Amino acid sequence: IWVTWSGGTGTAEDAFVSEEEAATGTKSVKIVGLNDMVAPFRDISEGHWIVKAKVFVPSTMWGRLYFILLNRYSTACGGGCNWQVQIPMVATSGTIHDDFGGGMLPLVVDEWAEIVAEIDLTNNVHSIFYNDVPLTLSRVWDVSGNPRFQGIDLYSFDCSGAYYDDVSVERVCVPVEVE
């Protein structure tokens, strides 16, 4: 279930389902203005996880569109929040980068691109890929030593409009060698 960052409804944070673009099916979510949508989930604290999202950035977009992964989240940050991944997409500079890991790549515009985060909470590391190209590799997930994963945040900082589709979180079973 998606909620707004502050937990309110009918505010500028609310995003809308759109039929203007779609990666799969006929609809996606349009993020525009000050939209800030969060998919919070239980306190995930172990295992390997794959987070995927397809994003469509029009070449005419202005402002910043963000893909954020949260290791701590409570509504409106009343109980504290912390994000481990913050990826801005800026069409005017033609770049996508990891604010915390330093990687930067050319931004794909006017077609769908995929962001994939591989999170290993057991070993406290993560990697980010953009259209199968590494953006961040084997970076520490949580410097506090208490790795958790509590949500996805799709945020617009005065963005003129872009689209997300096929957002998913999947636990990956890692094979173990048996002697």
Side-chain angles (χ1 to χ4, degrees):
I1 289 187
W2 291 88
V3 298
T4 63
W5 179 262
S6 66
T9 58
T11 69
E13 291 180 324
D14 277 329
F16 295 95
V17 173
S18 171
E19 294 180 347
E20 295 168 9
E21 298 291 343
T24 304
T26 61
K27 298 175 184 168
S28 64
V29 64
K30 184 174 186 178
I31 303 292
V32 63
L34 296 174
N35 292 162
D36 198 351
M37 300 301 298
V38 177
F41 23 86
R42 63 181 172 78
D43 194 11
I44 298 170
S45 60
E46 64 182 6
H48 294 76
W49 299 84
I50 303 290
V51 180
K52 294 181 180 181
K54 291 184 181 168
V55 60
F56 185 97
V57 176
S59 57
T60 56
M61 184 188 89
W62 44 266
R64 291 180 181 252
L65 178 70
Y66 287 87
F67 179 80
I68 300 168
L69 300 178
L70 305 158
N71 70 336
R72 283 183 207 83
Y73 174 75
S74 62
T75 303
C77 287
C81 292
N82 191 41
W83 35 99
Q84 289 308 115
V85 171
Q86 179 171 286
I87 300 175
M89 291 158 264
V90 186
T92 53
S93 67
T95 60
I96 179 171
H97 65 275
D98 181 347
D99 273 349
F100 306 140
M104 182 180 290
L105 293 169
L107 182 65
V108 174
V109 294
D110 295 331
E111 63 183 80
W112 288 94
E114 186 171 50
I115 299 170
V116 177
E118 297 178 357
I119 305 166
D120 178 353
L121 294 174
T122 304
N123 292 303
N124 196 26
V125 295
H126 74 282
S127 296
I128 307 291
F129 300 87
Y130 178 66
N131 260 5
D132 297 321
V133 178
L135 186 60
T136 300
L137 288 174
S138 299
R139 189 173 155 269
V140 171
W141 175 256
D142 185 347
V143 295
S144 75
N146 184 20
R148 297 182 287 180
F149 180 33
Q150 292 187 340
I152 301 168
D153 184 5
L154 307 179
Y155 172 60
S156 165
F157 184 75
D158 203 22
C159 170
S160 61
Y163 308 85
Y164 281 104
D165 203 353
D166 300 336
V167 178
S168 66
V169 177
E170 177 183 0
R171 185 165 190 172
V172 178
C173 295
V174 178
V176 176
E177 280 189 40
V178 177
E179 296 182 21

